[in-house]
Amino acid sequence: MTERARAADELLDIVDERDRVVGQRPRGEVYAERLRHRSTSIRVRDAHGRLFVHRRTPTKLIFPGMYDVVVGGVVGAGEDYDTAALREAEEELGVEGLPMPERRTTFLFETPEHSWFLAVYEVVCTLPVRPQAEEVAWWDFLAEEELERRLAGWERDGLVVPDGLECHRRLSAL
């Protein structure tokens, strides 16, 4: 079974407009039917304050091959946001023993294609990262000025993950 097929079979909680669980469905159906669910995003800084930035692999179910300024992913069925945030951050960064990310905000992310509640976190990672090859095609830690310079081009060319960009903007405004 391919990574994409396994991801499509992952069971997710479906939530209502107040983020209350109303059912469960496989991720592939959730995306295909635009069912509201839960996700986490974690902005990661290194010990020097630089931000972790990466390009998603072309095999990802959504936003394949796009640049992202956060790590994260869906909250599994029965899982809470905090547990999912730590799990996703450790998985994507390829580390163990990361401090618990600090929750900063939650919002509903909606487009014509997608709908999910997004719990947004921040964490400092002082461990050597080894991002998952299945998830991350390229990565680096960038100073904020360099990130902003690159974001301008990525956004213009439609190459930046939209919910990650919205998380970045909301965190920068806090």
Side-chain angles (χ1 to χ4, degrees), residues 30-65:
V30 168
Y31 289 161
E33 299 174 31
R34 193 183 178 269
L35 300 174
R36 188 178 301 118
H37 58 286
R38 294 174 172 163
S39 191
T40 63
S41 286
I42 306 93
R43 180 160 70 177
V44 180
R45 292 184 185 272
D46 68 6
H48 305 289
R50 298 174 301 180
L51 296 162
F52 182 82
V53 180
H54 67 284
R55 188 166 193 175
R56 297 165 61 87
T57 58
T59 57
K60 297 292 286 179
L61 278 176
I62 61 169
F63 311 128

Side-chain angles (χ1 to χ4, degrees), residues 64-83:
M66 296 177 82
Y67 292 96
D68 207 348
V69 296
V70 293
V71 298
V74 295
V75 176
E79 190 176 34
D80 64 63
Y81 283 114
D82 290 350
T83 302

Side-chain angles (χ1 to χ4, degrees), residues 12-16 18-22 30-31 35-41 73-81 84 87-88 103 106-108 115-119:
L12 306 182
D13 286 333
I14 307 305
V15 297
D16 66 13
R18 295 169 77 191
D19 198 16
R20 295 178 301 199
V21 176
V22 296
V30 168
Y31 289 161
L35 300 174
R36 188 178 301 118
H37 58 286
R38 294 174 172 163
S39 191
T40 63
S41 286
V74 295
V75 176
E79 190 176 34
D80 64 63
Y81 283 114
R87 175 184 54 75
E88 286 286 347
R103 191 164 173 176
T106 303
F107 66 94
L108 178 61
S115 178
W116 55 75
F117 277 97
L118 195 51

Side-chain angles (χ1 to χ4, degrees), residues 80-86 97-103 121-124:
D80 64 63
Y81 283 114
D82 290 350
T83 302
L86 180 59
L98 194 65
M100 183 65 207
E102 294 181 31
R103 191 164 173 176
Y121 296 77
E122 289 186 293
V123 70
V124 174

